[in-house]
Amino acid sequence: MALEVADELALLQLQPSVHFSTRTPERFLDAADRVIKEGYGYTSVFNTDTVIMEQVGMGKTLEDARQGGTSGCIETGCFGKEAYILTGYLNIAKILEITLNNGIEPLSNEMVGIETGDPLAFSGFEELYAAFQAQLEYIVDLKIKVNNYIERMYAAYCPAPLLSCVIEGCIDKGKDYYNAGPKYNTNYIQCCGIGTVTDSLLPAIDGKPNTKGTVYRLNMLSTTCHVYFGKMLGATPQRQVGPHAGIRWHLALPRRG
């Protein structure tokens, strides 16, 4: 019925989402396919079996995982039982650019990272990779420190009493939604530039402690801020495919002066 309404109204907002599993009937998939093919807006499609396995892998019970799902853009959680806090965006491609400039942010010419060496003097990819990883670890740790401070401020000065009343765990614990009240407390840092920099992200974010006694998770979500982040970058690796040229790769060199 929801798909029929979406098809009839032809609205760009709000978009429906389709959640399927191995038990989803073909007639439902066919109906979703008809709406998606119309071309107005888009219908998000999610694999419920995968979402459930992800949540169970994060320590949630199977029952709670089955009652949860995907909401917002692509965030997964246990509805009514979890605070899954998205603590801002992280421009991974910018970190690569800073690495290529030995810790200096080229737009402001300020040292914002750590000195990891002149990449023109590196003997090979291994040294560049190690420098990028060191820069990534440094900036992620700095971001987490700032995030944790903001979270403490939210818990102290920006409580959400109405929301806390409808989220399981808050009343039993006597704690607010923003103060580790819910049954599950998950923090995400949203990484942008995955297509530009695909090297070693999970060792830097996943598992770092947050302020609620649990840990940060990696969230690969580039929407909303990809245009702005791109404006803050110089040239980055780009793959060009042509009928005669084959595949060519271009890598930005460190800026001088």
Side-chain angles (χ1 to χ4, degrees):
M1 291 176 63
L3 287 170
E4 290 175 0
V5 171
D7 189 20
E8 182 177 351
L9 296 180
L11 296 177
L12 298 181
Q13 293 281 351
L14 299 168
Q15 298 100 349
S17 61
V18 175
H19 302 253
F20 70 92
S21 71
T22 55
R23 301 176 65 181
T24 302
E26 287 293 328
R27 61 182 178 83
F28 177 76
L29 296 177
D30 291 340
D33 185 49
R34 287 197 301 271
V35 175
I36 293 173
K37 287 193 297 185
E38 291 296 330
Y40 44 75
Y42 63 90
T43 300
S44 302
V45 180
F46 299 102
N47 186 326
T48 302
D49 296 330
T50 301
V51 171
I52 291 174
M53 287 193 301
E54 177 192 356
Q55 296 195 80
V56 171
M58 294 173 62
K60 300 166 187 175
T61 67
L62 180 59
E63 180 182 7
D64 289 344
R66 285 174 172 169
Q67 293 177 358
T70 306
S71 64
C73 296
I74 58 172
E75 300 87 354
T76 62
C78 292
F79 301 152
K81 301 180 180 182
E82 181 175 7
Y84 40 111
I85 308 298
L86 307 177
T87 56
Y89 295 86
L90 184 65
N91 192 342
I92 302 298
K94 189 67 179 181
I95 297 176
L96 175 60
E97 185 179 59
I98 291 171
T99 303
L100 293 174
N101 287 272
N102 196 17
I104 295 176
E105 198 285 302
L107 291 178
S108 64
N109 203 34
E110 294 182 2
M111 174 64 72
V112 298
I114 56 176
E115 292 187 2
T116 50
D118 183 352
L120 294 179
F122 291 162
S123 61
F125 175 78
E126 289 75 16
E127 288 190 43
L128 174 62
Y129 181 83
F132 168 74
Q133 193 167 29
Q135 205 75 246
L136 179 67
E137 293 281 354
Y138 170 79
I139 293 178
V140 165
D141 286 344
L142 179 62
K143 179 172 178 59
I144 287 178
K145 289 179 182 178
V146 175
N147 285 351
N148 288 344
Y149 172 78
I150 294 175
E151 284 205 349
R152 291 299 87 207
M153 294 299 100
Y154 255 83
Y157 302 111
C158 299
L162 180 59
L163 179 60
S164 300
C165 289
V166 297
I167 301 297
E168 182 178 325
C170 293
I171 293 178
D172 293 337
K173 297 178 184 177
K175 291 186 176 182
D176 184 75
Y177 177 86
Y178 290 113
N179 194 28
K183 181 177 182 179
Y184 302 107
N185 294 276
T186 307
N187 284 73
Y188 292 99
I189 291 178
Q190 309 195 88
C191 292
C192 299
I194 304 299
T196 305
V197 179
T198 58
D199 298 323
S200 187
L201 298 178
L202 286 174
I205 291 178
D206 220 44
K208 295 282 180 74
N210 60 26
T211 64
K212 303 181 183 70
T214 54
V215 296
Y216 279 92
R217 299 293 183 184
L218 178 67
N219 188 353
M220 299 181 184
L221 178 62
S222 295
T223 57
T224 304
C225 62
H226 54 287
V227 174
Y228 170 76
F229 277 0
K231 290 181 178 179
M232 296 297 105
L233 280 170
T236 53
Q238 178 184 9
R239 187 179 71 169
Q240 295 184 350
V241 180
H244 303 293
I247 299 177
R248 294 177 294 171
W249 293 89
H250 302 272
L251 179 63
L253 294 178
R255 299 181 183 179
R256 297 291 191 181

